[in-house]
Amino acid sequence: MNGRRERDGRRERGGGVSERWRVHGLSVEGYRHRQSGLPCQDAWGHADAGSATVLAVADGAGSRSRSDEGARLAVDLATERFARRAARHCPPGEAVHTLLTDAFREVCEEFLLRTGGEPYDFATTLTVVVLTPAWLGHLSVGDGFVVLRAGRTGDGERQFHLLPRPAAVSEYSNETVFLTSPGAEDRLSTACVRDDGVDGVLLSTDGLAQAALGGRPPVPNASFTSAVLRSLDTPGDDPEGDEDDLAALLRSDRLTALNADDKTLLRAVRTAGTVRTARTARTAGA
């Protein structure tokens, strides 16, 4: 099912109601994996809990033998545990940072149990966004990233904002911190955003960093981000055709030349009405 949603990967959640967010995710295997016949090591998922929506992406370590399983497990656990906590009332501010960190600890503990206390071969990054009517929460470990669409310039152009990312391990290293790396909790990045103007969210693994970000320090590439969110704002009459077009873009020579790694794009946009959904979805395009 190369890069498509795994429909049997969705779990019923008892008829939850999404707070006016349309969500779509897609993972595709990178050029190196296509050439060697290896599966995609990225995963994505989302879950609804009352008025909250949880989005998560994960990027399994390319050098580890079971990292694709690790990425799927991290996303499944994150959507479940973060949604459970987000369903309770939580005021914006420091309480949100505590909620995010506590949920992360739960994910790590269960991840260790599920991997038999030997997580090395399952190493993966994790990036999570929690959307509620009162606030947006963000947690990340590793090199995933999140871009928000909020506000307009004086000329009416959409504005895009990159959320804070975890600090690099060192100035001279491209080493990535994983979910179960020693001291991972000390390298977490968490944020609480209060802005009613946020109407689009993009989560991605680092395979799209060169396409979606640019400059030093990095800032969102407005052209790329605007295009991929706009296509979800106004989906076409053929959803499968739209998904095929997006998959073709992610596999295109132009994006492959920028980065040959697996690529994941998880998008959420506000809609005019309330979208009913009762499932968790994930994909790991194999």
Side-chain angles (χ1 to χ4, degrees), residues 2 28-41 62 64-65 68 262 285-286:
N2 271 338
V28 301
E29 71 287 353
Y31 178 77
R32 298 190 192 98
H33 286 168
R34 290 202 301 273
Q35 291 297 100
S36 55
L38 293 174
C40 179
Q41 294 170 335
R64 309 293 173 85
S65 60
D68 57 327
D262 298 333

Side-chain angles (χ1 to χ4, degrees), residues 214-257:
R216 287 179 180 267
V219 296
N221 176 343
S223 175
F224 178 86
T225 307
S226 178
V228 296
L229 289 178
R230 186 171 59 246
S231 67
L232 189 59
D233 286 324
T234 54
D237 296 329
D238 179 8
E240 289 195 4
D242 289 347
E243 187 156 308
D244 288 342
D245 290 343
L246 182 58
L249 170 65
L250 299 187
R251 292 192 179 99
S252 67
D253 292 342
R254 179 168 64 89
L255 294 193
T256 297

Side-chain angles (χ1 to χ4, degrees), residues 42-106:
D42 281 3
W44 66 270
H46 76 93
D48 295 309
S51 60
T53 297
V54 177
L55 313 170
V57 298
D59 180 0
S63 60
R64 309 293 173 85
S65 60
R66 302 181 71 177
S67 63
D68 57 327
E69 298 173 57
R72 289 195 297 269
L73 177 59
V75 161
D76 284 348
L77 292 175
T79 51
E80 176 189 351
R81 300 307 169 95
F82 280 77
R84 182 185 303 172
R85 287 184 173 271
R88 310 167 191 165
H89 172 73
C90 178
E94 192 59 37
V96 172
H97 294 275
T98 300
L99 180 154
L100 297 172
T101 303
D102 287 348
F104 176 77
R105 289 181 185 137
E106 286 189 12

